[in-house]
Coordinates of all heavy atoms in Angstrom, one line a residue:
Chain V
W228 N -21.7 28.4 -13.8 CA -21.6 28.3 -15.3 C -21.1 29.6 -15.9 O -20.6 29.5 -17.0 CB -22.9 27.9 -15.9 CG -24.0 28.9 -15.8 CD1 -24.9 29.1 -14.8 CD2 -24.2 30.0 -16.7 NE1 -25.6 30.2 -15.0 CE2 -25.3 30.8 -16.2 CE3 -23.7 30.4 -17.9 CZ2 -25.8 31.9 -16.8 CZ3 -24.2 31.5 -18.6 CH2 -25.2 32.3 -18.0
H230 N -18.5 31.2 -14.9 CA -17.0 31.3 -14.8 C -16.4 31.0 -16.2 O -16.9 30.0 -16.9 CB -16.5 30.2 -13.8 CG -15.1 30.4 -13.5 ND1 -14.1 30.0 -14.3 CD2 -14.4 31.0 -12.4 CE1 -12.9 30.3 -13.8 NE2 -13.1 30.9 -12.6
D233 N -15.6 27.4 -16.9 CA -16.6 26.4 -16.7 C -17.3 26.1 -18.1 O -17.6 26.9 -18.9 CB -17.7 26.9 -15.8 CG -18.7 25.8 -15.4 OD1 -18.2 25.0 -14.5 OD2 -19.8 25.7 -15.9
I236 N -22.2 24.9 -19.3 CA -23.2 25.5 -20.3 C -23.3 24.6 -21.5 O -24.3 24.6 -22.3 CB -22.8 26.9 -20.7 CG1 -24.0 27.7 -21.3 CG2 -21.6 27.0 -21.5 CD1 -23.7 29.2 -21.5
Y238 N -23.8 21.5 -21.4 CA -24.5 20.3 -21.0 C -25.3 19.7 -22.1 O -25.6 18.5 -22.1 CB -25.4 20.6 -19.8 CG -26.7 21.3 -20.2 CD1 -27.9 20.6 -20.3 CD2 -26.7 22.7 -20.4 CE1 -29.0 21.2 -20.7 CE2 -27.8 23.3 -20.8 CZ -29.0 22.6 -20.9 OH -30.1 23.2 -21.3
T239 N -25.6 20.5 -23.2 CA -26.3 19.9 -24.3 C -25.5 19.2 -25.3 O -26.0 18.7 -26.3 CB -27.1 21.1 -25.0 OG1 -26.1 22.1 -25.3 CG2 -28.2 21.6 -24.2
D240 N -24.2 19.2 -25.0 CA -23.2 18.7 -26.0 C -22.6 17.4 -25.5 O -22.0 17.3 -24.3 CB -22.1 19.7 -26.2 CG -21.2 19.4 -27.4 OD1 -20.9 18.2 -27.6 OD2 -20.7 20.4 -28.0
L241 N -22.6 16.3 -26.2 CA -22.1 15.0 -25.8 C -20.6 15.1 -25.4 O -20.1 14.4 -24.5 CB -22.3 13.9 -26.8 CG -23.7 13.4 -26.9 CD1 -23.9 12.5 -28.1 CD2 -24.1 12.7 -25.6
D263 N -31.6 14.5 -10.8 CA -32.6 14.9 -11.6 C -33.7 15.5 -10.7 O -33.9 15.2 -9.6 CB -33.2 13.7 -12.4 CG -34.1 14.2 -13.6 OD1 -34.0 15.4 -13.9 OD2 -35.0 13.4 -14.0
S265 N -37.9 17.0 -11.1 CA -39.0 17.3 -12.0 C -39.7 18.6 -11.5 O -40.1 18.7 -10.4 CB -40.0 16.1 -11.9 OG -41.1 16.4 -12.7
D276 N -38.6 32.8 -11.9 CA -37.7 33.7 -12.6 C -36.3 33.7 -12.1 O -35.3 33.7 -12.9 CB -38.3 35.1 -12.4 CG -39.6 35.3 -13.2 OD1 -40.0 34.4 -13.8 OD2 -40.1 36.5 -13.2
L279 N -34.6 30.6 -13.4 CA -34.4 30.7 -14.8 C -33.2 31.6 -15.1 O -32.3 31.2 -15.9 CB -35.6 31.2 -15.5 CG -36.7 30.2 -15.8 CD1 -38.0 30.9 -16.1 CD2 -36.4 29.3 -16.9
A280 N -33.2 32.7 -14.5 CA -32.1 33.7 -14.8 C -30.7 33.1 -14.4 O -29.7 33.3 -15.1 CB -32.4 35.0 -14.1
P286 N -32.7 25.1 -17.4 CA -33.3 23.9 -18.0 C -32.8 22.6 -17.2 O -31.7 22.6 -16.7 CB -32.8 23.8 -19.4 CG -32.3 25.2 -19.7 CD -31.9 25.8 -18.4
S287 N -33.6 21.6 -17.3 CA -33.2 20.3 -16.7 C -33.6 19.2 -17.7 O -34.7 18.9 -17.9 CB -34.1 20.2 -15.4 OG -34.2 18.8 -15.0
N288 N -32.5 18.7 -18.3 CA -32.7 17.7 -19.4 C -32.7 16.2 -18.8 O -32.3 16.0 -17.7 CB -31.7 17.8 -20.5 CG -32.1 18.9 -21.5 OD1 -33.2 19.5 -21.4 ND2 -31.2 19.2 -22.4
D289 N -33.2 15.3 -19.6 CA -33.3 13.9 -19.2 C -31.9 13.3 -19.0 O -31.1 13.4 -19.9 CB -34.1 13.2 -20.3 CG -34.5 11.7 -19.9 OD1 -33.6 11.0 -19.4 OD2 -35.6 11.3 -20.2
V292 N -30.8 9.4 -21.1 CA -30.3 9.3 -22.5 C -28.9 9.8 -22.7 O -28.4 9.7 -23.8 CB -31.3 10.0 -23.5 CG1 -32.7 9.4 -23.5 CG2 -31.4 11.5 -23.2
S295 N -25.4 6.2 -22.6 CA -24.8 5.3 -23.5 C -23.5 5.9 -24.2 O -22.6 5.2 -24.4 CB -25.8 4.7 -24.6 OG -26.2 5.6 -25.5
A296 N -23.6 7.2 -24.4 CA -22.4 7.8 -25.0 C -21.2 7.8 -24.0 O -20.1 7.6 -24.4 CB -22.7 9.3 -25.4
Y314 N -43.4 9.4 -10.8 CA -43.9 9.7 -12.1 C -43.9 8.6 -13.1 O -44.6 8.5 -14.1 CB -43.1 10.8 -12.7 CG -42.9 12.0 -11.9 CD1 -41.6 12.4 -11.5 CD2 -44.0 12.7 -11.4 CE1 -41.5 13.5 -10.6 CE2 -43.9 13.8 -10.6 CZ -42.6 14.2 -10.2 OH -42.5 15.3 -9.4
Y318 N -43.3 -0.7 -15.2 CA -43.1 -1.6 -16.3 C -42.0 -1.0 -17.2 O -41.1 -1.7 -17.7 CB -44.4 -1.8 -17.0 CG -44.5 -2.7 -18.2 CD1 -44.1 -4.0 -18.1 CD2 -44.9 -2.2 -19.5 CE1 -44.3 -4.9 -19.2 CE2 -45.1 -3.1 -20.5 CZ -44.7 -4.4 -20.4 OH -44.9 -5.2 -21.5
Y319 N -42.1 0.3 -17.5 CA -41.2 1.0 -18.4 C -39.9 1.4 -17.7 O -38.8 1.3 -18.3 CB -41.8 2.2 -19.0 CG -42.9 1.8 -20.0 CD1 -44.2 2.0 -19.7 CD2 -42.6 1.1 -21.1 CE1 -45.2 1.5 -20.5 CE2 -43.6 0.6 -22.0 CZ -44.9 0.8 -21.7 OH -45.9 0.3 -22.5
R322 N -37.8 -1.7 -17.7 CA -37.2 -1.9 -19.0 C -36.0 -0.9 -19.2 O -35.0 -1.3 -19.8 CB -38.2 -1.8 -20.1 CG -37.6 -2.0 -21.4 CD -38.7 -2.2 -22.5 NE -39.1 -0.9 -23.1 CZ -39.3 -0.7 -24.4 NH1 -39.2 -1.7 -25.2 NH2 -39.8 0.4 -24.8
R323 N -36.2 0.3 -18.9 CA -35.2 1.3 -19.2 C -33.9 1.0 -18.4 O -32.8 1.0 -19.0 CB -35.6 2.7 -18.9 CG -34.8 3.7 -19.7 CD -35.5 5.1 -19.8 NE -35.6 5.8 -18.6 CZ -36.7 6.0 -17.9 NH1 -37.8 5.6 -18.4 NH2 -36.6 6.6 -16.7
T326 N -32.2 -2.1 -19.9 CA -31.5 -1.7 -21.1 C -30.2 -1.0 -20.8 O -29.2 -1.4 -21.4 CB -32.4 -0.8 -22.0 OG1 -33.7 -1.4 -22.2 CG2 -31.8 -0.5 -23.3
H329 N -27.7 -3.5 -19.5 CA -27.1 -4.3 -20.7 C -26.1 -3.4 -21.4 O -24.9 -3.9 -21.6 CB -28.2 -4.7 -21.7 CG -29.0 -5.9 -21.3 ND1 -28.4 -7.1 -21.2 CD2 -30.3 -6.1 -21.0 CE1 -29.3 -8.0 -20.8 NE2 -30.5 -7.4 -20.7
K332 N -22.9 -2.9 -19.6 CA -22.3 -4.1 -19.1 C -22.3 -4.1 -17.6 O -21.3 -4.5 -16.9 CB -20.9 -4.4 -19.6 CG -20.9 -4.5 -21.2 CD -19.5 -5.1 -21.6 CE -19.3 -4.9 -23.1 NZ -20.4 -5.6 -24.0
A350 N -47.4 20.1 -13.0 CA -47.1 19.9 -14.4 C -47.9 18.7 -14.9 O -48.3 18.6 -16.1 CB -45.6 19.7 -14.6
L351 N -48.1 17.7 -14.0 CA -48.9 16.5 -14.4 C -50.3 16.6 -14.1 O -51.0 15.6 -14.2 CB -48.2 15.3 -13.8 CG -46.8 15.1 -14.2 CD1 -46.1 13.9 -13.5 CD2 -46.7 14.8 -15.7
G352 N -50.8 17.7 -13.6 CA -52.2 17.8 -13.4 C -52.7 17.4 -12.0 O -53.9 17.5 -11.7
R388 N -30.1 -18.2 -26.0 CA -29.3 -17.6 -27.1 C -28.6 -18.7 -27.9 O -27.4 -18.5 -28.2 CB -28.3 -16.6 -26.5 CG -29.0 -15.4 -25.8 CD -28.0 -14.5 -25.0 NE -28.4 -13.1 -25.0 CZ -27.9 -12.2 -25.8 NH1 -27.0 -12.5 -26.7 NH2 -28.3 -11.0 -25.7
D389 N -29.3 -19.7 -28.2 CA -28.7 -20.9 -28.8 C -28.9 -20.8 -30.3 O -30.0 -21.1 -30.9 CB -29.4 -22.1 -28.2 CG -28.9 -23.4 -28.9 OD1 -28.0 -23.4 -29.8 OD2 -29.4 -24.5 -28.5
K390 N -27.9 -20.4 -31.0 CA -28.0 -20.2 -32.5 C -28.1 -21.6 -33.2 O -28.9 -21.7 -34.1 CB -26.7 -19.5 -33.1 CG -26.7 -18.0 -32.9 CD -25.7 -17.4 -33.8 CE -25.8 -15.9 -33.8 NZ -25.2 -15.2 -35.0
R393 N -31.4 -23.0 -32.4 CA -32.4 -22.0 -32.8 C -33.5 -21.7 -31.7 O -34.7 -21.7 -31.9 CB -33.1 -22.5 -34.1 CG -32.1 -22.6 -35.2 CD -32.8 -22.7 -36.6 NE -31.7 -22.8 -37.6 CZ -32.0 -22.8 -38.9 NH1 -33.2 -22.7 -39.4 NH2 -31.0 -22.9 -39.8
F395 N -34.0 -18.8 -28.9 CA -33.6 -17.6 -28.2 C -33.8 -17.7 -26.7 O -32.9 -17.7 -25.9 CB -34.2 -16.3 -28.7 CG -33.4 -15.1 -28.1 CD1 -32.3 -14.7 -28.7 CD2 -33.9 -14.6 -27.0 CE1 -31.6 -13.6 -28.1 CE2 -33.2 -13.5 -26.4 CZ -32.0 -13.1 -26.9
A396 N -35.1 -17.9 -26.3 CA -35.5 -18.0 -24.9 C -36.3 -19.3 -24.7 O -37.0 -19.8 -25.6 CB -36.3 -16.8 -24.5
P398 N -39.3 -20.7 -23.2 CA -40.5 -20.1 -22.6 C -40.8 -20.6 -21.2 O -41.4 -19.8 -20.4 CB -41.6 -20.5 -23.6 CG -40.8 -20.8 -24.9 CD -39.5 -21.3 -24.5
D412 N -51.2 -2.1 -10.8 CA -51.7 -3.4 -11.4 C -50.8 -3.7 -12.6 O -50.6 -2.9 -13.4 CB -53.1 -3.3 -11.9 CG -54.1 -3.5 -10.7 OD1 -54.1 -4.6 -10.1 OD2 -54.9 -2.6 -10.5
L413 N -50.4 -5.0 -12.7 CA -49.5 -5.4 -13.8 C -49.7 -6.9 -14.0 O -49.8 -7.6 -13.0 CB -48.0 -5.0 -13.5 CG -47.0 -5.3 -14.6 CD1 -46.0 -4.2 -14.7 CD2 -46.3 -6.6 -14.4
A415 N -47.7 -9.2 -16.7 CA -46.8 -9.2 -17.9 C -45.5 -9.9 -17.6 O -45.2 -10.1 -16.4 CB -46.5 -7.7 -18.3
L418 N -39.9 -7.2 -20.2 CA -39.6 -7.1 -21.6 C -38.1 -7.3 -21.9 O -37.8 -7.6 -23.0 CB -40.0 -5.7 -22.1 CG -41.5 -5.4 -22.2 CD1 -41.8 -3.9 -22.5 CD2 -42.1 -6.2 -23.4
S419 N -37.3 -7.3 -20.9 CA -35.8 -7.5 -21.1 C -35.4 -8.8 -20.5 O -35.8 -9.2 -19.4 CB -35.1 -6.3 -20.4 OG -35.5 -5.1 -20.9
E420 N -34.4 -9.4 -21.2 CA -33.8 -10.6 -20.6 C -32.9 -10.1 -19.4 O -32.6 -8.9 -19.3 CB -33.0 -11.3 -21.6 CG -31.8 -10.5 -22.3 CD -31.1 -11.2 -23.4 OE1 -30.6 -12.3 -23.1 OE2 -31.1 -10.8 -24.5
S505 N -17.0 34.3 -6.5 CA -17.4 35.6 -7.1 C -18.4 35.3 -8.3 O -19.0 36.2 -8.8 CB -16.2 36.4 -7.7 OG -15.6 35.7 -8.8
H506 N -18.5 34.0 -8.7 CA -19.5 33.7 -9.8 C -20.8 33.1 -9.3 O -21.6 32.7 -10.1 CB -18.8 32.8 -10.8 CG -17.8 33.5 -11.7 ND1 -16.5 33.7 -11.3 CD2 -17.9 34.1 -12.9 CE1 -15.9 34.4 -12.2 NE2 -16.7 34.6 -13.2
Chain M
W1175 N -31.6 -14.1 -36.5 CA -30.5 -13.9 -35.5 C -29.7 -15.3 -35.4 O -28.5 -15.3 -34.9 CB -31.0 -13.5 -34.1 CG -31.8 -14.6 -33.5 CD1 -33.2 -14.7 -33.6 CD2 -31.4 -15.7 -32.6 NE1 -33.6 -15.8 -32.9 CE2 -32.5 -16.4 -32.3 CE3 -30.2 -16.0 -32.1 CZ2 -32.5 -17.5 -31.5 CZ3 -30.1 -17.2 -31.3 CH2 -31.2 -17.9 -31.0
H1177 N -28.6 -17.0 -37.9 CA -27.6 -17.1 -39.0 C -26.2 -16.8 -38.4 O -26.0 -15.9 -37.6 CB -27.9 -16.1 -40.1 CG -27.1 -16.3 -41.3 ND1 -25.8 -15.9 -41.4 CD2 -27.4 -16.8 -42.5 CE1 -25.3 -16.2 -42.6 NE2 -26.3 -16.8 -43.3
D1180 N -25.0 -13.3 -38.5 CA -25.9 -12.3 -37.9 C -25.4 -11.9 -36.5 O -25.1 -12.8 -35.7 CB -27.3 -12.7 -37.9 CG -28.2 -11.6 -37.5 OD1 -28.5 -10.8 -38.4 OD2 -28.7 -11.5 -36.4
I1183 N -28.0 -10.7 -32.2 CA -28.0 -11.2 -30.8 C -27.2 -10.3 -29.9 O -27.4 -10.3 -28.7 CB -27.5 -12.7 -30.8 CG1 -27.9 -13.4 -29.5 CG2 -26.1 -12.7 -31.1 CD1 -27.6 -14.9 -29.6
Y1185 N -27.6 -7.2 -29.6 CA -28.3 -6.0 -29.5 C -28.1 -5.3 -28.1 O -28.4 -4.2 -27.9 CB -29.8 -6.2 -29.7 CG -30.5 -6.9 -28.6 CD1 -31.2 -6.2 -27.6 CD2 -30.4 -8.3 -28.3 CE1 -31.8 -6.8 -26.5 CE2 -30.9 -8.9 -27.3 CZ -31.7 -8.2 -26.4 OH -32.2 -8.8 -25.3
T1186 N -27.6 -6.1 -27.2 CA -27.3 -5.6 -25.8 C -26.0 -4.9 -25.7 O -25.6 -4.4 -24.6 CB -27.4 -6.7 -24.8 OG1 -26.6 -7.8 -25.2 CG2 -28.8 -7.2 -24.6
D1187 N -25.3 -4.9 -26.8 CA -23.9 -4.4 -26.8 C -23.8 -3.1 -27.7 O -24.2 -3.1 -28.8 CB -23.0 -5.5 -27.4 CG -21.5 -5.3 -27.2 OD1 -21.1 -4.1 -27.2 OD2 -20.8 -6.2 -27.1
L1188 N -23.2 -2.1 -27.1 CA -23.2 -0.8 -27.8 C -22.3 -0.9 -29.1 O -22.6 -0.2 -30.1 CB -22.6 0.3 -26.9 CG -23.5 0.9 -25.9 CD1 -22.8 1.8 -24.9 CD2 -24.7 1.6 -26.5
D1210 N -40.4 0.1 -31.9 CA -40.6 -0.3 -30.6 C -42.0 -0.8 -30.4 O -42.9 -0.5 -31.2 CB -40.4 0.9 -29.6 CG -40.3 0.4 -28.1 OD1 -40.0 -0.8 -27.9 OD2 -40.5 1.2 -27.2
S1212 N -44.7 -2.3 -27.2 CA -45.0 -2.5 -25.8 C -45.8 -3.8 -25.6 O -46.9 -3.9 -26.2 CB -45.7 -1.3 -25.2 OG -45.9 -1.6 -23.8
D1223 N -45.1 -18.0 -26.0 CA -44.0 -19.0 -26.1 C -43.3 -19.0 -27.5 O -42.1 -19.0 -27.5 CB -44.6 -20.4 -25.8 CG -44.9 -20.6 -24.4 OD1 -44.8 -19.6 -23.6 OD2 -45.3 -21.7 -24.0
L1226 N -41.1 -15.9 -27.8 CA -40.0 -16.0 -26.9 C -38.9 -17.0 -27.5 O -37.8 -16.6 -27.5 CB -40.4 -16.5 -25.5 CG -41.0 -15.5 -24.6 CD1 -41.7 -16.2 -23.4 CD2 -39.9 -14.6 -24.0
A1227 N -39.4 -18.1 -27.9 CA -38.4 -19.1 -28.4 C -37.7 -18.6 -29.7 O -36.5 -18.8 -29.9 CB -39.2 -20.4 -28.8
P1233 N -36.8 -10.5 -26.3 CA -36.8 -9.3 -25.5 C -37.0 -8.0 -26.4 O -36.6 -8.1 -27.6 CB -35.5 -9.3 -24.8 CG -34.9 -10.7 -24.9 CD -35.6 -11.3 -26.1
S1234 N -37.4 -7.0 -25.8 CA -37.6 -5.7 -26.5 C -37.1 -4.6 -25.5 O -37.8 -4.3 -24.6 CB -39.1 -5.6 -26.8 OG -39.4 -4.2 -27.0
N1235 N -35.9 -4.1 -25.8 CA -35.3 -3.1 -24.9 C -35.7 -1.7 -25.4 O -36.1 -1.5 -26.5 CB -33.8 -3.3 -24.9 CG -33.4 -4.4 -23.9 OD1 -34.2 -5.0 -23.2 ND2 -32.1 -4.7 -23.8
D1236 N -35.4 -0.7 -24.5 CA -35.8 0.7 -24.7 C -34.9 1.2 -25.8 O -33.7 1.2 -25.7 CB -35.5 1.4 -23.4 CG -36.0 2.8 -23.4 OD1 -35.8 3.5 -24.4 OD2 -36.6 3.3 -22.4
V1239 N -32.5 5.1 -25.1 CA -31.2 5.1 -24.4 C -30.0 4.7 -25.3 O -28.9 4.7 -24.9 CB -31.2 4.4 -23.1 CG1 -32.2 5.1 -22.1 CG2 -31.5 3.0 -23.2
S1242 N -27.5 8.1 -27.8 CA -26.4 9.0 -27.6 C -25.1 8.4 -28.0 O -24.2 9.0 -28.5 CB -26.3 9.6 -26.2 OG -26.0 8.7 -25.2
A1243 N -25.0 7.1 -27.8 CA -23.7 6.4 -28.2 C -23.6 6.4 -29.7 O -22.5 6.6 -30.3 CB -23.7 4.9 -27.7
Y1261 N -48.7 5.5 -23.7 CA -48.2 5.2 -22.4 C -47.4 6.3 -21.7 O -47.2 6.4 -20.5 CB -47.2 4.0 -22.5 CG -47.7 2.9 -23.3 CD1 -47.1 2.4 -24.4 CD2 -48.8 2.2 -22.8 CE1 -47.6 1.3 -25.1 CE2 -49.3 1.1 -23.5 CZ -48.7 0.7 -24.6 OH -49.2 -0.4 -25.3
Q1263 N -46.1 10.1 -20.6 CA -46.6 11.4 -20.1 C -46.0 12.5 -21.1 O -44.8 12.5 -21.3 CB -46.0 11.7 -18.7 CG -46.5 10.9 -17.6 CD -47.8 11.5 -17.0 OE1 -48.3 12.4 -17.6 NE2 -48.3 10.9 -16.0
Y1265 N -45.4 15.5 -20.7 CA -44.4 16.4 -20.1 C -43.0 15.8 -20.2 O -42.0 16.4 -20.4 CB -44.8 16.6 -18.6 CG -44.0 17.5 -17.8 CD1 -43.8 18.9 -18.1 CD2 -43.5 17.1 -16.5 CE1 -43.1 19.7 -17.2 CE2 -42.8 17.9 -15.7 CZ -42.6 19.2 -16.0 OH -41.9 20.1 -15.2
Y1266 N -42.9 14.5 -19.9 CA -41.6 13.8 -19.9 C -41.2 13.4 -21.3 O -40.0 13.4 -21.6 CB -41.6 12.6 -19.0 CG -41.7 13.0 -17.6 CD1 -42.9 12.9 -16.8 CD2 -40.7 13.7 -17.0 CE1 -43.0 13.3 -15.6 CE2 -40.8 14.2 -15.7 CZ -41.9 14.0 -15.0 OH -42.1 14.5 -13.7
R1269 N -39.6 16.3 -22.8 CA -38.3 16.6 -22.3 C -37.3 15.6 -22.9 O -36.2 16.0 -23.3 CB -38.3 16.5 -20.8 CG -36.9 16.7 -20.3 CD -36.8 16.8 -18.7 NE -36.8 15.6 -18.0 CZ -36.1 15.4 -16.9 NH1 -35.3 16.3 -16.5 NH2 -36.1 14.2 -16.3
R1270 N -37.7 14.3 -23.0 CA -36.7 13.3 -23.5 C -36.3 13.6 -25.0 O -35.2 13.5 -25.3 CB -37.3 11.9 -23.4 CG -36.2 10.9 -23.4 CD -36.6 9.5 -22.8 NE -37.6 8.9 -23.7 CZ -38.9 8.7 -23.4 NH1 -39.3 9.1 -22.2 NH2 -39.6 8.0 -24.2
T1273 N -34.1 16.6 -25.1 CA -32.7 16.2 -24.7 C -32.0 15.5 -25.9 O -30.9 15.8 -26.2 CB -32.8 15.3 -23.5 OG1 -33.5 16.0 -22.5 CG2 -31.4 15.0 -23.0
H1276 N -31.1 17.9 -28.5 CA -29.8 18.7 -28.2 C -28.6 17.8 -28.4 O -27.6 18.2 -29.0 CB -29.9 19.1 -26.7 CG -30.7 20.3 -26.4 ND1 -30.3 21.5 -26.9 CD2 -31.8 20.5 -25.7 CE1 -31.2 22.5 -26.5 NE2 -32.1 21.9 -25.8
K1279 N -27.5 17.2 -31.8 CA -27.5 18.4 -32.6 C -28.6 18.4 -33.7 O -28.3 18.8 -34.9 CB -26.1 18.6 -33.2 CG -25.0 18.7 -32.1 CD -23.7 19.2 -32.7 CE -22.5 19.0 -31.8 NZ -22.7 19.7 -30.5
A1297 N -50.3 -5.1 -19.2 CA -49.1 -4.9 -18.4 C -49.3 -3.7 -17.5 O -48.8 -3.7 -16.4 CB -47.9 -4.7 -19.3
L1298 N -50.1 -2.8 -18.0 CA -50.3 -1.5 -17.2 C -51.6 -1.5 -16.4 O -52.0 -0.5 -15.9 CB -50.2 -0.3 -18.1 CG -48.9 -0.2 -18.8 CD1 -48.9 1.0 -19.8 CD2 -47.8 0.0 -17.8
G1299 N -52.3 -2.7 -16.4 CA -53.4 -2.8 -15.6 C -54.7 -2.3 -16.2 O -55.8 -2.4 -15.6
R1335 N -27.9 32.6 -22.3 CA -26.6 31.9 -22.1 C -25.4 33.0 -22.1 O -24.4 32.8 -22.7 CB -26.3 30.9 -23.3 CG -27.3 29.7 -23.3 CD -27.1 28.9 -24.5 NE -27.5 27.5 -24.2 CZ -26.6 26.5 -24.0 NH1 -25.3 26.8 -24.1 NH2 -27.0 25.3 -23.8
D1336 N -25.7 34.1 -21.4 CA -24.8 35.2 -21.4 C -23.9 35.1 -20.1 O -24.3 35.5 -19.0 CB -25.7 36.5 -21.3 CG -24.8 37.7 -21.2 OD1 -23.6 37.7 -21.2 OD2 -25.5 38.8 -21.2
K1337 N -22.7 34.7 -20.3 CA -21.7 34.5 -19.2 C -21.4 35.8 -18.6 O -21.2 36.0 -17.4 CB -20.5 33.8 -19.7 CG -20.6 32.3 -19.8 CD -19.2 31.6 -19.8 CE -19.4 30.1 -19.7 NZ -18.2 29.4 -19.4
R1340 N -24.2 37.3 -17.0 CA -24.7 36.4 -15.9 C -26.2 36.2 -16.0 O -26.9 36.2 -15.0 CB -24.3 36.9 -14.5 CG -22.7 36.9 -14.4 CD -22.3 37.1 -13.0 NE -20.8 37.1 -12.9 CZ -20.1 37.1 -11.8 NH1 -20.7 37.1 -10.6 NH2 -18.8 37.1 -11.8
F1342 N -28.7 33.3 -17.6 CA -28.8 32.1 -18.4 C -30.1 32.2 -19.3 O -30.0 32.2 -20.5 CB -28.9 30.8 -17.6 CG -28.8 29.6 -18.5 CD1 -27.6 29.1 -18.9 CD2 -30.0 29.1 -19.0 CE1 -27.6 28.1 -19.8 CE2 -29.9 28.0 -19.9 CZ -28.7 27.5 -20.3
A1343 N -31.2 32.4 -18.6 CA -32.5 32.6 -19.4 C -33.2 33.9 -19.0 O -33.1 34.3 -17.9 CB -33.4 31.4 -19.1
P1345 N -36.4 35.3 -18.0 CA -37.6 34.8 -17.6 C -38.8 35.3 -18.3 O -39.8 34.5 -18.5 CB -37.7 35.2 -16.1 CG -36.3 35.4 -15.7 CD -35.6 35.9 -17.0
L1360 N -52.0 20.0 -17.7 CA -50.6 20.4 -17.5 C -50.6 21.9 -17.2 O -51.3 22.7 -17.8 CB -49.8 20.0 -18.7 CG -48.3 20.3 -18.6 CD1 -47.5 19.1 -19.2 CD2 -47.9 21.6 -19.3
A1362 N -47.2 24.1 -16.6 CA -45.7 24.1 -16.4 C -45.0 24.8 -17.6 O -45.5 24.9 -18.6 CB -45.3 22.6 -16.4
L1365 N -39.3 21.9 -19.6 CA -38.0 21.8 -18.8 C -36.8 22.0 -19.6 O -35.7 22.2 -19.1 CB -38.0 20.4 -18.1 CG -39.0 20.2 -17.0 CD1 -39.0 18.7 -16.6 CD2 -38.6 21.0 -15.8
S1366 N -36.9 21.9 -21.0 CA -35.7 22.1 -21.8 C -35.7 23.4 -22.6 O -36.8 23.8 -23.1 CB -35.7 20.9 -22.8 OG -35.7 19.7 -22.2
E1367 N -34.6 24.0 -22.8 CA -34.5 25.1 -23.7 C -34.7 24.6 -25.1 O -34.5 23.5 -25.4 CB -33.2 25.9 -23.5 CG -31.9 25.0 -23.8 CD -30.6 25.7 -23.5 OE1 -30.4 26.7 -24.1 OE2 -29.8 25.2 -22.6
S1452 N -33.4 -20.1 -44.9 CA -33.3 -21.3 -44.1 C -33.2 -21.0 -42.6 O -33.4 -21.9 -41.8 CB -32.1 -22.1 -44.6 OG -30.9 -21.5 -44.2
H1453 N -33.0 -19.8 -42.3 CA -32.9 -19.4 -40.9 C -34.2 -18.8 -40.3 O -34.2 -18.4 -39.2 CB -31.7 -18.5 -40.6 CG -30.4 -19.3 -40.7 ND1 -29.7 -19.5 -41.8 CD2 -29.7 -19.8 -39.7 CE1 -28.7 -20.2 -41.6 NE2 -28.6 -20.4 -40.3

Side-chain angles (χ1 to χ4, degrees):
Chain V
W228 66 272
H230 190 283
D233 191 76
I236 196 173
Y238 76 99
T239 50
D240 191 327
L241 285 171
D263 191 22
S265 176
D276 290 3
L279 279 164
S287 160
N288 277 357
D289 189 316
V292 295
S295 70
Y314 309 120
Y318 184 58
Y319 293 107
R322 179 169 85 139
R323 200 162 69 248
T326 305
H329 278 297
K332 300 192 193 301
L351 296 176
R388 294 172 151 261
D389 177 1
K390 280 198 169 196
R393 299 193 178 187
F395 190 86
D412 276 300
L413 183 139
L418 289 168
S419 304
E420 61 183 300
S505 71
H506 287 82
Chain M
W1175 66 272
H1177 190 284
D1180 191 76
I1183 196 173
Y1185 76 100
T1186 50
D1187 191 326
L1188 285 172
D1210 192 21
S1212 177
D1223 289 4
L1226 279 164
S1234 159
N1235 277 356
D1236 188 316
V1239 296
S1242 70
Y1261 309 122
Q1263 288 275 8
Y1265 184 57
Y1266 292 108
R1269 179 169 84 138
R1270 199 162 70 249
T1273 305
H1276 278 297
K1279 300 191 192 302
L1298 296 177
R1335 293 172 151 259
D1336 176 1
K1337 280 198 171 198
R1340 299 193 179 187
F1342 190 86
L1360 182 138
L1365 289 168
S1366 303
E1367 61 183 299
S1452 70
H1453 286 83

